[in-house]
Amino acid sequence: MKLAPTLDLAAAAPLRQALLAARGQPLRIDASDVERLGALCLQVLLSAKLTWAQDGCAFSIAEPSGAFMEAARLMIGDSPLAENGASA
Amino acid sequence: MDSFEAIKQTYFQECDELLADLEQNLLMLEAGEGDGDTINAVFRAVHSVKGGAGAFGFEALVAFAHIFETTLDDMRSGKLDPEQDVIKIMLRASDVLVDHLQAAKGQGVVDEERAATMSRELEALVGGGSNEETAPLSGESGGDEWGFKPLMFEVDAPAPAAGLTLVMRPTATMYAKGHDAVLFLRELERIAHAEIELDASALPSLDALDPEASYLTWTVRWPADVDEKAIRDVFDFVGDDCPIELKRDAPAPPHQPAVDVAAMLANIRDAAGPPVVTEEEHEEKVASPAAPGGKIESKSGAAAATIRVDLERVDRMIDLVGELVINQAMLAQRVAESETGRSSSIAMGLDELEQLTREIQDSVMAIRAQPVKSVFQRMPRLVREIAGATGKQVRLVTEGENTEVDKTVIERLSDPITHMLRNAIDHGLETPEERSASGKSPEGVVRLAALHRSGRIVIEVSDDGKGINRPRVREIAVNKGLIQPDANLSDDEIDNLIFLPGFSTASAVSNISGRGVGMDVVKRSIQGLGGRISIASVPGKGSTFTLSLPLTLAVLDGMVISAGEQTLVAPLTAIVETLRPKPQDIRPIGPNAALLAVRGAHVPLIDVGVALGLRDTPIDATAGVVLLVEGEGGARAGVVADEIQGQRQVVIKSLEANYQRVGGIAAATILGDGRVALILDVDAIIASQRDRTEAKPIALAS
Amino acid sequence: MDATISHTELLELISFRIGEQDFCLDIMAVREVRGWTVATPLPHSPPYVRGVINLRGAVLPIIDLKARLGLGETVPTQRSVIIVVHIGDRLVGLLVDEVSEVLEVDKATIQATPSVGCDTVEQFVRGIIPLEGRMLSWIELDEILPVRIDEAA
């Protein structure tokens, strides 16, 4: 699964839908194209990560772009979402 | 996406207002009338524009606004004097900011060179190059070449070595308005390096998650002292949509940095909604020690007084009320024709209905009435630009900007005013040298005023320049064959020659007034709106253009007349008087024309039925009625009709919407019987009489 | 025209009568059909422009289609109707003698207008449709209105 370049307000609902559709299987998300990551989409990603953990499936974010990393660092602190591979 | 677009539009609207205020306040400062509040208002305007621009990703706008803001910040902190030269730069900077905003709207491009020059000029104002010392403080590696300046270091404040903790709780509303927490965090980090901690404990699992709700809150800690105000300013733009708590804690509380997100997510409970801070709580918290929170309160207080309504909705309402008026009239007419019409209770009910309908119409029209301010506000920039291009020194004085007029008129005021101002500066005002030589102040004054006069709006543009060069105007008019060389004209008549088609006062067409538009075009466009324009001039003292327009273009006071089988409406404003001529007042002239003697003058008689092709031969004027009309050019004529049915206000309906322009007809309306009646274009009818002597109009072949 | 006609597309048409001839219009262009009311004549207009009427607050021009097609002036009767159509962004009323029916035809049955040496036919008839021993002329709406003054100038 590949993330869209702009993850803003408008992207949050579609992202949630796309993730829900992929539920129940290990997921590797390609974040290489991301140019903007907003808090609403971060919420969706964090919630997905939690959900996958509850389901006992692998969840990882791969090849995060610079913009993704920077936004994630700002919002999550010094522990970027991406580094922390699967958490199942 | 639609809602996002709507939010963006709201932002643009707000920006237009902010930028108008910005200019207004800068002009006050320039005139030496402003105070600390004015400077603060100027700063806030730029800051708010920047805040929203960040949310929408308008990088160029953010960058420029940031530089502008930095300079203004110096002024706010007293480091930079708001002296005239500085304000002049800022006024030009506000023009560039407007350009950036227009570009963001997709309505134009920014002159990059001009913007870059402007940025350098602004930066040059900042503390004489002292901004170097603040640059390293911006702390992070991000490419912020301007370096946000922590205000606390400039202001001589006591600096207790205490940390500051901010808890921000974004609301769903905030996100819905297009703001994003990540942008605030970025700004906050820019103020000074901070530790950011995310609280995701409210986050539900994916299936229970509302993608547009807000679940995350953040705690930001600055170990060193930072300016509280700078932090609050970051949230200035969102107000209550992102409640914040700001605590200055003596010992910076130890906390675990580097949250393990996985661990954190592991113990997430299916918590309820996002943490909400009630309004009272919030205000209490905001109004903490230094209490700069007052701004937020006043903002929400002011917002209650007005609402923003989509113009289309108002227009729809105007249309509907227009139909209601017509329907009411139709009903009244039918009842009057029927037997029941004699019943007094029905008649009374109808009277009341009519009263109410009128009141509704007036109220709805009042909604559309707007102060001319929105047009006037665009003019200072224009004046600056023309002044710059002509090398003249100009001060623009505006009066009566709260004068209200219907929005249909407002929209059409801009062009004529623009042109009159261009004309006043380019042709009216002298160069600074010429002015000094004739004992005037080198700075010319152009006055733009609006006022109501007898049911119309009057716009005056006057200058204190050299006045109209009458010998020159006369000479041009003679050379162009517009008047006979021996014509005996009053000063006033000579002045008004400049409105004649084909007249252009500039001996060399300048690129200011030039542009291929003469005053005749201005005059015609104003006449098209049912307006008049005239000029009065005193040599050596200056000229005054006076423009008058109806207050609305949606309704019209008309005289309902009949000609042949048809019912027509003549605009009341064009009618001087109505009379039933005596046979001895009518003087035939030529084969088929006649003049009417009225108060010593002779005016041509025009049979309206013939002029409109409704009949071939004119009726006997003594058997009908004559409307003495005056065209915008002052030409008079006697319009002969069969009879007058009465006066009434009619709703103007365009013929062009579904058809096209029709000669001799200004528009249409719908009368009480439900039929369409045509509204006469009095000027065209007067002109048609002139044409008829030359060539009979031919029906348009297709 | 044959080349452009697809073989499966159905076209919904409204058919009407002017004098002894049958015509039709693409029903997508029709907004409503209403009874005849006397129009207010417009000065300086071509003879086929009957004038304007009030259509729920809007001023609607009425074109006498018979006159427009060069078949003489319509004498309105009780059965005369006005077909209100969209032409570009304008609403226009067409005065016709009577409305017949709404029908569906296969686009393939539409035939190109044969050359009959008549300008009005070539200008206003897009094609002809044979139907149960009758023939419908398919009206081209785009050219029905007179050229706008501002465009002509």
Side-chain angles (χ1 to χ4, degrees):
Chain A
M1 180 173 168
K2 192 161 186 152
L3 292 177
T6 303
L7 297 176
D8 57 4
L9 165 74
L15 177 62
R16 173 174 171 270
Q17 282 306 324
L19 286 165
L20 278 175
R23 194 168 170 183
Q25 46 191 312
L27 191 60
R28 189 167 178 278
I29 296 177
D30 180 345
S32 58
D33 279 356
V34 176
E35 287 160 19
R36 258 173 77 193
L37 171 63
L40 289 177
C41 285
L42 179 84
Q43 285 186 167
V44 175
L45 287 172
L46 288 177
S47 169
K49 190 167 170 123
L50 155 83
T51 310
W52 259 249
Q54 283 169 348
D55 293 352
C57 284
F59 183 93
S60 65
I61 288 179
E63 297 169 40
S65 64
F68 185 94
M69 291 287 282
E70 195 260 354
R73 183 189 61 76
L74 273 170
M75 291 188 282
I76 309 179
D78 295 323
S79 166
L81 181 69
E83 264 173 24
N84 186 0
S87 64
Chain B
M1 204 57 202
D2 271 347
S3 66
F4 184 71
E5 202 41 51
I7 294 156
K8 204 149 99 182
Q9 290 314 318
T10 309
Y11 164 70
F12 285 145
Q13 277 177 19
E14 280 171 3
C15 278
D16 289 342
E17 286 166 20
L18 285 167
L19 289 173
D21 289 348
L22 170 67
E23 185 175 48
Q24 212 57 40
N25 285 320
L26 284 173
L27 288 170
M28 270 174 74
L29 290 171
E30 190 189 23
E33 289 164 10
D35 54 12
D37 282 347
T38 319
I39 296 174
N40 280 333
V42 164
F43 177 85
R44 274 198 308 272
V46 176
H47 181 79
S48 300
V49 169
K50 184 182 100 169
F56 294 109
F58 300 135
E59 300 298 340
L61 179 56
V62 174
F64 185 80
H66 184 80
I67 299 174
F68 197 176
E69 184 187 3
T70 309
T71 312
L72 286 170
D73 197 28
D74 265 16
M75 193 156 91
R76 198 169 59 149
S77 63
K79 280 180 64 187
L80 183 64
D81 266 347
E83 54 189 27
Q84 282 224 346
D85 289 347
V86 171
I87 300 297
K88 279 200 189 342
I89 293 177
M90 294 196 165
L91 276 165
R92 281 190 291 117
S94 76
D95 294 343
V96 172
L97 194 60
V98 171
D99 289 346
H100 272 292
L101 185 72
Q102 289 303 109
K105 288 179 188 169
Q107 295 171 352
V109 285
V110 177
D111 180 343
E112 297 293 347
E113 205 174 303
R114 182 176 174 198
T117 313
M118 201 63 246
S119 301
R120 280 194 297 278
E121 277 187 67
L122 284 173
E123 281 170 328
L125 289 178
V126 175
S130 69
N131 53 341
E132 256 84 46
E133 76 198 31
T134 65
L137 287 171
S138 64
E140 50 137 320
S141 49
D144 183 8
E145 58 206 300
W146 303 288
F148 196 96
K149 298 199 333 193
L151 299 167
M152 218 53 188
F153 290 95
E154 270 84 49
V155 184
D156 49 337
L164 201 61
T165 302
L166 168 86
V167 179
M168 63 181 256
R169 306 178 195 279
T171 61
T173 318
M174 183 199 87
Y175 288 116
K177 286 183 182 170
H179 302 292
D180 204 308
V182 68
L183 295 162
F184 296 128
L185 291 169
R186 195 170 288 142
E187 282 248 347
L188 291 171
E189 213 194 29
R190 225 174 248 179
I191 293 174
H193 185 71
E195 280 166 14
I196 297 169
E197 191 187 323
L198 168 70
D199 179 359
S201 55
L203 198 64
S205 64
L206 196 58
D207 41 12
L209 178 116
D210 172 353
E212 289 178 9
S214 175
Y215 303 98
L216 306 177
T217 61
W218 284 268
T219 306
V220 184
R221 289 191 186 85
W222 288 268
D225 198 356
V226 284
D227 180 21
E228 251 184 68
K229 185 141 174 43
I231 294 165
R232 289 190 193 281
D233 280 347
V234 170
F235 295 94
D236 213 83
F237 197 65
V238 283
D240 295 347
D241 292 336
C242 183
I244 54 169
E245 287 167 47
L246 201 51
K247 280 200 291 268
R248 192 174 283 281
D249 29 32
H255 70 103
Q256 322 79 317
V259 199
D260 180 351
V261 176
M264 187 178 68
L265 291 178
N267 46 17
I268 282 173
R269 299 168 297 269
D270 267 23
V276 176
V277 179
T278 67
E279 201 162 313
E280 294 91 322
E281 236 181 311
H282 166 64
E283 292 201 350
E284 211 176 273
K285 276 163 190 160
V286 168
S288 54
K295 203 238 146 189
I296 298 170
E297 289 152 26
S298 67
K299 198 172 169 184
S300 53
T306 58
I307 55 162
R308 231 178 251 285
V309 181
D310 194 348
L311 219 46
E312 264 177 42
R313 291 195 194 178
V314 177
D315 286 350
R316 174 84 190 121
M317 202 151 112
I318 301 252
D319 279 354
L320 286 174
V321 171
E323 279 174 46
L324 181 64
V325 170
I326 292 163
N327 262 300
Q328 179 270 323
M330 284 168 68
L331 183 62
Q333 188 158 335
R334 274 182 211 157
V335 168
E337 284 162 6
S338 72
E339 285 299 312
T340 50
R342 311 203 204 301
S343 146
S344 66
S345 66
I346 290 180
M348 265 171 60
L350 269 173
D351 280 351
E352 277 168 30
L353 179 63
E354 179 174 356
Q355 197 83 28
L356 271 174
T357 314
R358 294 279 163 212
E359 273 177 39
I360 293 174
Q361 188 174 29
D362 289 348
S363 312
V364 174
M365 295 309 291
I367 294 178
R368 273 215 317 201
Q370 292 176 336
V372 293
K373 199 171 171 181
S374 59
V375 176
F376 276 24
Q377 275 171 340
R378 295 206 284 271
M379 298 306 156
R381 172 177 190 169
L382 178 89
V383 168
R384 280 196 293 282
E385 286 177 351
I386 303 170
T390 53
K392 292 176 182 176
Q393 288 179 20
V394 190
R395 185 154 57 89
L396 177 70
V397 179
T398 54
E399 284 169 29
E401 31 187 44
N402 289 322
T403 309
E404 287 193 337
V405 63
D406 190 74
K407 89 167 182 48
T408 49
V409 179
I410 290 249
E411 286 160 4
R412 317 245 199 138
L413 277 176
S414 181
D415 280 353
I417 292 180
T418 302
H419 206 83
M420 290 192 292
L421 284 175
R422 279 181 199 285
N423 197 76
I425 298 169
D426 198 22
H427 299 314
L429 292 183
E430 313 91 328
T431 63
E433 300 77 45
E434 284 169 348
R435 290 182 65 91
S436 300
S438 56
K440 292 180 180 175
S441 150
E443 187 180 59
V445 176
V446 172
R447 187 174 145 272
L448 172 61
L451 57 144
H452 280 156
R453 188 187 291 155
S454 55
R456 292 169 78 87
I457 180 165
V458 176
I459 304 281
E460 285 178 358
V461 173
S462 49
D463 63 71
D464 66 347
K466 53 183 180 278
I468 281 193
N469 183 344
R470 292 195 181 116
R472 177 87 189 112
V473 165
R474 196 191 160 99
E475 191 190 322
I476 292 171
V478 171
N479 288 346
K480 299 204 168 179
L482 300 170
I483 54 167
Q484 294 299 314
D486 56 353
N488 181 17
L489 298 179
S490 67
D491 286 351
D492 207 35
E493 284 168 325
I494 294 176
D495 290 350
N496 283 285
L497 286 176
I498 64 162
F499 293 115
L500 285 181
F503 190 96
S504 175
T505 43
S507 38
V509 173
S510 76
N511 61 350
I512 302 301
S513 298
R515 301 207 173 179
V517 183
M519 290 311 290
D520 59 318
V521 176
V522 177
K523 183 173 186 178
R524 230 179 307 143
S525 75
I526 288 164
Q527 286 178 347
L529 303 174
R532 301 177 230 271
I533 185 169
S534 64
I535 183 169
S537 180
V538 181
K541 294 265 161 85
S543 309
T544 300
F545 281 96
T546 305
L547 150 67
S548 88
L549 284 171
L551 290 175
T552 172
L553 301 177
V555 293
L556 169 134
D557 283 313
M559 186 166 286
V560 183
I561 57 173
S562 51
E565 304 283 288
Q566 297 305 315
T567 302
L568 299 159
V569 178
L572 221 47
T573 47
I575 299 173
V576 181
E577 61 175 298
T578 59
L579 42 112
R580 290 192 180 274
K582 298 182 185 73
Q584 65 268 29
D585 295 335
I586 294 168
R587 319 267 157 82
I589 180 167
N592 49 16
L595 296 178
L596 172 73
V598 51
R599 285 189 238 298
H602 288 83
V603 299
L605 279 176
I606 304 170
D607 185 286
V608 66
V610 175
L612 296 181
L614 299 172
R615 58 185 165 218
D616 294 329
T617 46
I619 60 159
D620 178 2
T622 54
V625 59
V626 172
L627 312 179
L628 184 63
V629 295
E630 186 176 274
E632 296 294 347
R636 290 188 171 196
V639 171
V640 184
D642 298 6
E643 61 172 340
I644 291 174
Q645 295 180 11
Q647 283 181 20
R648 57 174 301 187
Q649 198 176 54
V650 297
V651 177
I652 299 174
K653 298 279 180 181
S654 157
L655 270 178
E656 287 154 64
N658 287 322
Y659 188 57
Q660 60 181 17
R661 283 184 57 147
V662 175
I665 300 300
T669 188
I670 294 165
L671 292 181
D673 59 4
R675 288 190 56 185
V676 177
L678 303 175
I679 301 172
L680 296 177
D681 178 346
V682 168
D683 278 297
I685 286 183
I686 294 174
S688 76
Q689 177 71 6
R690 280 200 299 269
D691 297 343
R692 277 160 56 83
T693 56
E694 290 150 27
K696 212 171 155 61
I698 324 157
L700 187 74
S702 71
Chain C
M1 177 162 279
D2 281 39
T4 62
I5 291 169
S6 122
H7 288 273
T8 50
E9 255 183 284
L10 282 178
L11 200 60
E12 217 178 335
L13 301 167
I14 182 166
S15 70
F16 52 90
R17 213 150 222 275
I18 296 174
E20 297 301 306
Q21 300 187 25
D22 290 297
F23 296 86
C24 62
L25 276 174
D26 189 340
I27 205 156
M28 296 307 287
V30 178
R31 180 166 132 168
E32 63 182 275
V33 175
R34 48 167 298 150
W36 161 250
T37 39
V38 178
T40 302
L42 290 172
H44 314 303
S45 298
Y48 57 81
V49 177
R50 285 300 275 240
V52 285
I53 63 162
N54 164 22
L55 181 74
R56 289 184 298 279
V59 176
L60 187 79
I62 303 299
I63 305 289
D64 180 343
L65 202 53
K66 185 174 182 183
R68 186 55 166 146
L69 297 172
L71 304 173
E73 199 174 306
T74 301
V75 181
T77 66
Q78 290 225 310
R79 301 170 80 169
S80 297
V81 292
I82 291 167
I83 305 177
V84 182
V85 294
H86 293 278
I87 300 180
D89 56 357
R90 293 182 275 190
L91 268 186
V92 177
L94 304 176
L95 171 62
V96 302
D97 286 345
E98 97 190 68
V99 163
S100 318
E101 58 183 330
V102 174
L103 62 149
E104 257 181 2
V105 299
D106 185 342
K107 265 198 170 181
T109 63
I110 301 176
Q111 299 170 9
T113 314
S115 180
V116 291
C118 171
D119 286 348
T120 50
V121 169
E122 273 164 31
Q123 195 179 358
F124 303 121
V125 181
R126 290 170 82 171
I128 52 172
I129 302 164
L131 195 76
E132 296 157 14
R134 290 182 295 148
M135 184 195 80
L136 302 178
S137 298
W138 188 19
I139 295 288
E140 167 67 76
L141 282 176
D142 292 351
E143 311 238 2
I144 289 290
L145 285 173
V147 179
R148 285 199 195 205
I149 292 171
D150 40 345
E151 287 164 3

